[in-house]
PDB file of all heavy atoms in Angstrom:
ATOM      1  N   ARG R  33     -10.334  -0.957  20.313  1.00 47.00           N
ATOM      2  CA  ARG R  33      -9.581  -0.292  19.296  1.00 47.00           C
ATOM      3  C   ARG R  33      -9.958  -0.534  17.942  1.00 47.00           C
ATOM      4  O   ARG R  33     -10.068   0.444  17.127  1.00 47.00           O
ATOM      5  CB  ARG R  33      -8.015  -0.650  19.476  1.00 47.00           C
ATOM      6  CG  ARG R  33      -7.127   0.233  18.586  1.00 47.00           C
ATOM      7  CD  ARG R  33      -5.707  -0.064  18.840  1.00 47.00           C
ATOM      8  NE  ARG R  33      -4.839   0.708  17.996  1.00 47.00           N
ATOM      9  CZ  ARG R  33      -3.520   0.475  17.879  1.00 47.00           C
ATOM     10  NH1 ARG R  33      -2.988  -0.387  18.705  1.00 47.00           N
ATOM     11  NH2 ARG R  33      -2.787   1.213  17.062  1.00 47.00           N
ATOM     12  N   LEU R  59      -2.320  11.571   2.791  1.00 97.00           N
ATOM     13  CA  LEU R  59      -3.011  11.617   4.149  1.00 97.00           C
ATOM     14  C   LEU R  59      -1.938  11.526   5.231  1.00 97.00           C
ATOM     15  O   LEU R  59      -1.332  10.531   5.402  1.00 97.00           O
ATOM     16  CB  LEU R  59      -3.916  10.313   4.235  1.00 97.00           C
ATOM     17  CG  LEU R  59      -5.045  10.308   3.139  1.00 97.00           C
ATOM     18  CD1 LEU R  59      -5.769   8.925   3.161  1.00 97.00           C
ATOM     19  CD2 LEU R  59      -6.003  11.348   3.342  1.00 97.00           C
ATOM     20  N   GLY R  69      -8.707  13.691  16.883  1.00 96.00           N
ATOM     21  CA  GLY R  69      -8.532  13.625  18.399  1.00 96.00           C
ATOM     22  C   GLY R  69      -8.139  12.249  18.889  1.00 96.00           C
ATOM     23  O   GLY R  69      -8.531  11.805  19.902  1.00 96.00           O
ATOM     24  N   SER R 110     -13.464  -0.824 -14.663  1.00 86.00           N
ATOM     25  CA  SER R 110     -14.635  -1.201 -15.345  1.00 86.00           C
ATOM     26  C   SER R 110     -14.586  -2.671 -15.755  1.00 86.00           C
ATOM     27  O   SER R 110     -15.608  -3.382 -15.648  1.00 86.00           O
ATOM     28  CB  SER R 110     -14.776  -0.321 -16.677  1.00 86.00           C
ATOM     29  OG  SER R 110     -15.889  -0.740 -17.411  1.00 86.00           O
ATOM     30  N   ARG R 113     -15.051  -4.793 -12.675  1.00 90.00           N
ATOM     31  CA  ARG R 113     -16.470  -4.744 -12.251  1.00 90.00           C
ATOM     32  C   ARG R 113     -17.361  -5.617 -13.147  1.00 90.00           C
ATOM     33  O   ARG R 113     -18.195  -6.326 -12.612  1.00 90.00           O
ATOM     34  CB  ARG R 113     -16.971  -3.342 -12.128  1.00 90.00           C
ATOM     35  CG  ARG R 113     -16.425  -2.444 -11.036  1.00 90.00           C
ATOM     36  CD  ARG R 113     -17.215  -1.105 -10.970  1.00 90.00           C
ATOM     37  NE  ARG R 113     -18.577  -1.410 -10.494  1.00 90.00           N
ATOM     38  CZ  ARG R 113     -19.558  -0.472 -10.753  1.00 90.00           C
ATOM     39  NH1 ARG R 113     -19.304   0.588 -11.393  1.00 90.00           N
ATOM     40  NH2 ARG R 113     -20.738  -0.735 -10.352  1.00 90.00           N
ATOM     41  N   ASP R 194     -20.806   9.806 -11.281  1.00 69.00           N
ATOM     42  CA  ASP R 194     -22.042  10.366 -10.818  1.00 69.00           C
ATOM     43  C   ASP R 194     -22.425  11.670 -11.532  1.00 69.00           C
ATOM     44  O   ASP R 194     -23.599  11.984 -11.716  1.00 69.00           O
ATOM     45  CB  ASP R 194     -21.861  10.776  -9.275  1.00 69.00           C
ATOM     46  CG  ASP R 194     -23.151  11.353  -8.684  1.00 69.00           C
ATOM     47  OD1 ASP R 194     -24.213  10.756  -8.778  1.00 69.00           O
ATOM     48  OD2 ASP R 194     -23.015  12.479  -8.103  1.00 69.00           O
ATOM     49  N   ILE R 203     -30.105   6.458 -11.255  1.00 87.00           N
ATOM     50  CA  ILE R 203     -29.323   5.378 -10.695  1.00 87.00           C
ATOM     51  C   ILE R 203     -30.200   4.333 -10.128  1.00 87.00           C
ATOM     52  O   ILE R 203     -29.849   3.097 -10.242  1.00 87.00           O
ATOM     53  CB  ILE R 203     -28.372   5.976  -9.629  1.00 87.00           C
ATOM     54  CG1 ILE R 203     -27.454   7.030 -10.240  1.00 87.00           C
ATOM     55  CG2 ILE R 203     -27.573   4.884  -8.920  1.00 87.00           C
ATOM     56  CD1 ILE R 203     -26.538   7.759  -9.199  1.00 87.00           C
ATOM     57  N   VAL R 204     -31.294   4.661  -9.482  1.00 92.00           N
ATOM     58  CA  VAL R 204     -32.293   3.731  -8.961  1.00 92.00           C
ATOM     59  C   VAL R 204     -32.819   2.854 -10.139  1.00 92.00           C
ATOM     60  O   VAL R 204     -32.924   1.673 -10.024  1.00 92.00           O
ATOM     61  CB  VAL R 204     -33.370   4.429  -8.152  1.00 92.00           C
ATOM     62  CG1 VAL R 204     -34.327   3.362  -7.576  1.00 92.00           C
ATOM     63  CG2 VAL R 204     -32.811   5.348  -7.051  1.00 92.00           C
ATOM     64  N   ALA R 212     -35.001  -7.279 -10.183  1.00 97.00           N
ATOM     65  CA  ALA R 212     -36.083  -8.156 -10.698  1.00 97.00           C
ATOM     66  C   ALA R 212     -35.510  -9.446 -11.410  1.00 97.00           C
ATOM     67  O   ALA R 212     -36.049 -10.528 -11.138  1.00 97.00           O
ATOM     68  CB  ALA R 212     -36.949  -7.429 -11.659  1.00 97.00           C
ATOM     69  N   SER R 216     -36.061 -13.199  -9.860  1.00 97.00           N
ATOM     70  CA  SER R 216     -36.829 -14.100 -10.647  1.00 97.00           C
ATOM     71  C   SER R 216     -36.076 -15.295 -11.171  1.00 97.00           C
ATOM     72  O   SER R 216     -36.616 -16.206 -11.815  1.00 97.00           O
ATOM     73  CB  SER R 216     -37.496 -13.289 -11.817  1.00 97.00           C
ATOM     74  OG  SER R 216     -36.553 -12.907 -12.712  1.00 97.00           O
TER      75      SER R 216
END
Side-chain angles (χ1 to χ4, degrees):
R33 188 177 178 187
L59 299 170
S110 176
R113 286 191 67 201
D194 182 54
I203 299 175
V204 183
S216 67

